[in-house]
Amino acid sequence: MELQKLIYTVEDGIGIVTMNYLKNLNAIDEQMADELMYVVDAAEKDPNVKVLVIKSAGKAFSAGGDIGYFYKLIQAGGEVNMDGLIAKVGVVADGMKKMSKMVITSVSGAAAGAGVSLALGGDFMICADDAKFILAFVNLGLVPDTGATYLLSKAIGTSRTMELAATGRPVSATEAKELGLAYKVTTVEELEEVTMKFAKKLAAGPLISYKNIKKQIYDASYSDYKKWLDETEIPTQRECAASMDFQEGCKAFMEKRKAVFKGK
């Protein structure tokens, strides 16, 4: 596959994926999801790759979905169908959890929407102190998708996940560390060095042990993920995307005003 929105290199046993779609703040559309699935699969099959690092270029880790695209569809009277995108990005996170190699997500700037799911898909998250995580779906009249509530519930429990999903408030890098989501927080300037130092440490570790630790954890915690994605997340988001509240939330976001929801 010719990569257009990602850069993928292999250095010293470390596969490095850089999201590089700067004009849209690394928003994860279907093309980027396809490219992410491709490199995760390539890294899994490549015996030269011992550890995978996923990071971003630019000011944001990922702005999540392309709200501007949804807005144009709504304005044109078209139907907004997110099923394909949700399934693809959800499968990326599943692939990261399922793969036999350790995955580090290196987060700087905002991780919003699907960007949160991608960040949570790694085995270790290292954050710059400017990182923030935003499940802002509720502000658009939607539910979190691409696996966010599933992954968060496993990591921090249902009560905290409910609070973050229902309020949509930002979570700072420091709070992410306190919640147990982030492995380490460092400065923006040192993020690259800290990430690569840890990646090299893992690459020099007991890879067979790591592979089987991941298998144990996946089977214990994530084995029903794909079923949940198909039977719960996609149908619930489909209902929300068809609502008048979503149209209002999307218009309000693009028009920079407060949304007036009517529960319809």
Side-chain angles (χ1 to χ4, degrees), residues 107-109 125-133 156 160 164 169-188 191:
V107 182
S108 180
M125 186 197 303
I126 299 178
C127 299
D129 51 17
D130 72 336
K132 60 180 178 179
F133 303 88
I156 62 175
R160 283 173 169 166
L164 297 181
R169 70 170 180 83
V171 172
S172 68
T174 300
E175 185 179 1
K177 177 71 164 61
E178 292 170 349
L179 289 171
L181 297 174
Y183 169 66
K184 186 173 292 188
V185 176
T186 185
T187 63
V188 175
L191 178 63

Side-chain angles (χ1 to χ4, degrees), residues 9-71:
T9 59
V10 179
E11 303 173 14
D12 300 323
I14 301 165
I16 303 170
V17 182
T18 305
M19 291 184 288
N20 191 41
Y21 188 36
L22 304 187
K23 69 177 183 180
N24 213 11
L25 297 175
N26 296 319
I28 305 176
D29 55 17
E30 289 200 41
Q31 180 183 343
M32 184 178 281
D34 284 336
E35 293 185 16
L36 284 165
M37 285 192 289
Y38 173 80
V39 295
V40 167
D41 185 60
E44 174 69 356
K45 293 176 180 176
D46 187 349
N48 295 313
V49 174
K50 300 175 181 178
V51 176
L52 186 65
V53 171
I54 298 178
K55 62 178 186 172
S56 65
K59 297 179 180 179
F61 181 73
S62 173
D66 189 342
I67 300 172
Y69 171 72
F70 298 145
Y71 179 72

